[in-house]
Every structure is written in C-alpha cells, then in structure tokens.
Amino acid sequence: VLLIIKQVPYNEIFLSVIALAVSAMPEGLPLALTMALTIASNKMSKKNVIVRKLKSVESLGSCTVIASDKTGTLTVNEQTAKKIVLPNNASYEVTGTGYELEGEVKGENLEYAKEIAFYGALNNEATVEGDKRLGDSVDIAFLVLGHKAGADLTTVTKVGQIPYESENKYSAVFYEKDGETYCTVKGSLEVIKSFCKDINLVNESLDSGILEKQNEEMASNGYRVIALANGKIEKANEYNETNIKDLTFMGMVAFIDPTRKEAVESIKECRSAGIKVLMITGDHPLTAFSIAKDLELTNTFDEVTNGEEVEEFFNKGEKEFDAFVKSKIVFTRVTPLQKLNIVESLKRQGEFVGVTGDGVNDAPALKSANIGIAMGSGTDIARETAKMIVIDDNFKSIVAGVKEGRIAYSNIRKISYFLLSCGLAEVLFFCLSIIFNMDMPLVAIQLLWLNVVTDGIQDFALSFEKAEKC
C-alpha cells in the first residue's frame, strides 16, 4: 500500500513484496526445530531414555513435578526376604541378598518358618529358572525364600488361583493336600486379617493389636511387610473371594529393597533445578517414610499420606483436594484411580507433570500426565501409553533426560529468536524507509540474498548448542 501511494511501478512492487515476504517468513524454522529435537532424542537414547514422540523431548525438559514410582525407579527392585516373624514374636533371619539362591533361614523350630516360606512359594506367579527371573519382584523373592527353606511344592495340587491386583492388595491360591482343600493368601496385613478367624501360636484375638505392632515396627525400619494366612475350606467347583474365610493367620515376611545410590544425588539435582519429586507407592506409610528419608525426599511424616486420606480429601471437592496434594511428598497405599486423581490435581495447580509407571494399572495416570514415562521392564500397555521409555528403570536416567530436554528447549528458543528477529528487522528496515519517504533500501534480489546469508545455515548450528553454565 505504501509503495502504491508512492507510485512505484507495479512490477517493482510485486517483486519487492514477494521477496520481503520470503525473507520475513522463518521458512527454516520447522527443519531447525526438528533437528534440535532429533539431536536431543539421540542424546537421550544414549542415556537409556527412548522417545516415542519427538515433541516429548521438549516436554520432558518442561517438567516441574515428577511423580515417581518407588520400586525399581528409586530402589533397585530386587526384593530380599530378610526376616520371618511369627505372631508369638519368634523371629527368623534369612541370609543372602537379592535374587541369588545362596542363603538359609536361621532360628529355632524352623518348621514354622519353612511352612510360611512354602505358602509364599505356592501362592506365586513368578518363575525362577537358572539365571532367569520373571515376574513380580515380591513373588520372585518368595520363590527364592522357598528355595532357601527347602519348600517342596510337589506335595500339593493347585485347583484355583486369584492373581494379585493392586486394588485388592492380596493374592490367593486354592490347593488340595491329602484329600483336603486349603486356601493360602498373602498381601497387606489389613486385608489378610479380614480373611482370618484366629492367629497361629497365640491365644489372643485378631483385634489385640499384636500384629499391627509387629507390622509397624518392621515398616518403620524400612521393610516391606507381607502377611500370610492359610486354612482348610470347603471343596467347590469354582473358587473365588467368597471361598476365602475362616483362615488362620500364620505370620509375616519382611523384605528389603535397597535404594539406588545415585537416586539421592539425582533428587538433589531436580530440587536445584526447580523440579519437585513425589513418591507414589503401594507400601506401608512407615516403610515409604523410611525410604523417603534415605532418599532425602522428606524428613517429616506430615508430608506422608495414604490412600484413605487421599480418598477422604478427594470427596471434599477440588479446592481442598488440591491444597492437600500440594502439601504432600509421599503417597502410599494408593489405587490406580487415586494416582490418576493426584496427577489431575497437580495439572490443575499449573504444574507440568511427569509420571513414571510400569503396570497396566498405571496406564490411566501415564496417559493423563503431561509426559508419561514407562519403565523398560514394564508391561506392553504401559510402554504403548507412555511418551517415553526408560530402559534401565533408573531415576537417574529420567533426570538425564530432563537435562537434555531443557537443552533442546533452550536451543529451540535461540533458533526462534534468531529467525524471528532477522525477519522482523528486515520488515522494519524496509517499511520505515518507505514511511520516511526514502527510496526502497533493497531491491528484491538483495532481500533474497540477505535472507540466504542470515537465515540459511546459522539456525541449524544453534541446534548443536550445548548446555550453558549457570
């Protein structure tokens, strides 16, 4: 319009406007951004983080909260049975570490300890063959314990099974021995107690508090505690939860899952980078608090909550629930639906949330999160739902991914500023010259040449920029 007013020939106007439009448009931006993300993605893969969607590279760098699983991510995921405790306070020590079969059960009257080890190995979905260990970490640990105790599973015949589900917090096996039908269950203390009518080896009632005291003592020392019960039941054509009743509480097994040494330093790095780390686990609150202290996540039990409190505050409405979630660091005994509610709450508070998970039940939270991070050892559904996969299940790898994501984000900003500022400068230079009644400063060919030498290859070079020192 300005050139028409100045009565510049139409052919010059046409060529100049087209050249200016070409120069002003950052046509190299899509390719430069793709290159920046691809470079970051390649670097992440070398640090055990596989990106399924390229745009997720920058997303990971934008995280303000990482809601992490405990088992396998913050710990080494090699549960080791260390103690067997009977209701009469008799205790047995289990030697050996990790999933190695070397070790033994020490103590007096070992028949009780061997009986509990037998129930744990029988009620199991894992397999241990040679050097191969397949299945849930607790189930593998029970098989290893059964091997150390000399459990012989060939003496019974399985007739039914209820697999473990995080919502139920127990698993059960129905079996026949010497013509009689029995049921054995293992899981959290509160659930296993509900199936029992009495306690083995003691005359006290189920409500005496003796079991809770044992459980809390072991949990406060960082153990993951699994309770076991067994009893005779009536024979049936099909077995389900209604058949589990009137059992005898047999005892508890305490497991330890060592924390990853590098996780403490990684959490410190996150904190210094303005990223809040939350721990979400199905463990007992005292167990989780003990591990959180080792990881230097928190030093006060006030920042630890459980599934019951989560449900209670969720029912009070979004405002109170959001305030509640904001005040907590460790979430224990939570269901998959509650984990999803926690993620949604964090997003409502303006957080950019990264969530880790490995199971089918984690899929809703992984999908809802701004960036879902699946574990390499997880289920196919978790990996398909997530935007990233951490091959070695290590929290340190996630932090390394965040670093590369932030570098990519920084490079994308540099590229954008560079291209947009060049284009804007050319447009302003051209328009201001015309407004002040000066001749066109550049002809079409000059504008195009300027575009080539300023916006040609330089923006690609910015994709290779390294992290800047703070």
Side-chain angles (χ1 to χ4, degrees), residues 248-314:
T248 297
F249 190 92
M250 303 303 297
M252 290 178 275
V253 180
F255 298 86
I256 193 71
D257 185 9
T259 58
R260 292 184 182 273
K261 295 179 181 179
E262 63 273 21
V264 177
E265 190 61 35
S266 297
I267 290 171
K268 288 181 180 178
E269 288 186 37
C270 285
R271 194 176 289 121
S272 64
I275 301 173
K276 184 179 181 181
V277 180
L278 307 179
M279 185 170 77
I280 301 179
T281 177
D283 285 352
H284 189 282
L286 291 174
T287 303
F289 178 55
S290 176
I291 293 172
K293 286 196 297 183
D294 291 341
L295 293 169
E296 298 183 18
L297 268 176
T298 181
N299 288 317
T300 171
F301 194 73
D302 293 337
E303 293 181 325
V304 180
T305 186
N306 56 50
E308 293 181 0
E309 289 183 348
V310 170
E311 189 67 25
E312 177 187 344
F313 278 89
F314 179 75

Side-chain angles (χ1 to χ4, degrees), residues 147-322:
H147 183 274
K148 292 176 181 178
D152 184 6
L153 305 182
T154 61
T155 59
V156 301
T157 303
K158 285 187 181 182
V159 293
Q161 186 170 5
I162 299 177
Y164 178 83
E165 295 289 346
S166 56
E167 296 94 339
N168 299 332
K169 299 179 182 178
Y170 79 92
S171 63
V173 162
F174 305 90
Y175 64 97
E176 291 182 352
K177 181 179 180 180
D178 300 330
E180 300 285 352
T181 304
Y182 296 86
C183 174
T184 179
V185 293
K186 75 175 193 294
S188 65
L189 174 62
E190 55 268 26
V191 174
I192 301 305
K193 273 184 59 178
S194 66
F195 296 133
C196 298
K197 65 176 181 179
D198 56 24
I199 307 176
N200 191 33
L201 302 176
V202 297
N203 296 322
E204 299 185 52
S205 69
L206 279 168
D207 301 324
S208 64
I210 181 175
L211 301 179
E212 284 78 3
K213 184 178 179 181
Q214 290 178 339
N215 184 39
E216 290 182 5
E217 182 179 350
M218 288 186 286
S220 62
N221 290 322
Y223 289 111
R224 182 175 184 179
V225 183
I226 303 295
L228 298 99
N230 186 72
K232 189 183 297 185
I233 62 171
E234 295 182 2
K235 190 173 183 178
N237 294 325
E238 293 185 0
Y239 296 96
N240 52 48
E241 186 172 336
T242 59
N243 300 103
I244 309 175
K245 56 185 177 181
D246 298 333
L247 305 182
T248 297
F249 190 92
M250 303 303 297
M252 290 178 275
V253 180
F255 298 86
I256 193 71
D257 185 9
T259 58
R260 292 184 182 273
K261 295 179 181 179
E262 63 273 21
V264 177
E265 190 61 35
S266 297
I267 290 171
K268 288 181 180 178
E269 288 186 37
C270 285
R271 194 176 289 121
S272 64
I275 301 173
K276 184 179 181 181
V277 180
L278 307 179
M279 185 170 77
I280 301 179
T281 177
D283 285 352
H284 189 282
L286 291 174
T287 303
F289 178 55
S290 176
I291 293 172
K293 286 196 297 183
D294 291 341
L295 293 169
E296 298 183 18
L297 268 176
T298 181
N299 288 317
T300 171
F301 194 73
D302 293 337
E303 293 181 325
V304 180
T305 186
N306 56 50
E308 293 181 0
E309 289 183 348
V310 170
E311 189 67 25
E312 177 187 344
F313 278 89
F314 179 75
N315 293 330
K316 291 182 178 180
E318 287 187 359
K319 187 175 181 180
E320 289 198 39
F321 184 64
D322 291 350

Side-chain angles (χ1 to χ4, degrees), residues 288-428:
F289 178 55
S290 176
I291 293 172
K293 286 196 297 183
D294 291 341
L295 293 169
E296 298 183 18
L297 268 176
T298 181
N299 288 317
T300 171
F301 194 73
D302 293 337
E303 293 181 325
V304 180
T305 186
N306 56 50
E308 293 181 0
E309 289 183 348
V310 170
E311 189 67 25
E312 177 187 344
F313 278 89
F314 179 75
N315 293 330
K316 291 182 178 180
E318 287 187 359
K319 187 175 181 180
E320 289 198 39
F321 184 64
D322 291 350
F324 169 75
V325 170
K326 189 175 182 180
S327 66
K328 302 300 178 183
I329 299 292
V330 181
F331 297 84
T332 67
R333 296 286 201 228
V334 295
T335 65
L337 181 58
Q338 289 171 342
K339 185 173 182 177
L340 174 62
N341 292 334
I342 292 168
V343 172
E344 293 290 347
S345 172
L346 292 168
K347 289 171 64 179
R348 283 196 301 270
Q349 296 174 47
E351 305 286 2
F352 200 92
V353 187
V355 174
T356 70
D358 57 4
V360 174
N361 294 329
D362 293 320
L366 290 172
K367 186 174 182 62
S368 174
N370 297 106
I371 179 77
I373 307 167
M375 300 296 105
S377 62
T379 61
D380 291 340
I381 292 178
R383 292 197 296 268
E384 286 295 322
T385 305
K387 296 177 182 177
M388 287 187 174
I389 301 172
V390 179
I391 298 176
D392 59 355
D393 298 5
N394 197 331
F395 188 80
K396 181 181 180 181
S397 298
I398 299 174
V399 177
V402 172
K403 287 181 179 179
E404 293 300 333
R406 290 197 169 188
I407 293 172
Y409 177 74
S410 176
N411 290 347
I412 288 171
R413 290 184 65 186
K414 292 174 184 175
I415 294 168
S416 301
Y417 288 156
F418 175 75
L419 292 176
L420 293 175
S421 62
C422 287
L424 182 62
E426 291 174 8
V427 172
L428 286 175

